Amino acid sequence: MIERAINQGWETSPEQQERSLKLCYEVLHDDHATERETLTAIRVITAAVNKGN
């Protein structure tokens, strides 16, 4: 849902953004994360980076 919020410009608090990005980084460092979880984390981080440009 955070990916959609980023891509569509929805208002999100800095706390929500930080919590979401921390979760994404945790997933990326988790050897037991599923492929779906990993790909979702990558999409969210990519959306956040693209939005910042």
Side-chain angles (χ1 to χ4, degrees):
M1 192 62 127
I2 194 69
E3 178 191 6
R4 182 179 290 174
I6 293 168
N7 287 331
Q8 295 186 8
W10 298 351
E11 290 285 327
T12 55
S13 70
E15 294 82 15
Q16 289 174 310
Q17 295 171 20
E18 182 179 352
R19 189 172 63 236
S20 296
L21 289 175
K22 281 184 179 180
L23 177 59
C24 289
Y25 287 115
E26 288 175 15
V27 168
L28 293 177
H29 288 93
D30 183 353
D31 293 335
H32 301 290
T34 65
E35 183 177 350
R36 181 178 181 172
E37 292 168 333
T38 301
L39 292 174
T40 299
I42 291 169
R43 284 197 320 266
V44 169
I45 292 170
T46 300
V49 168
N50 288 336
K51 186 68 170 184
N53 291 331

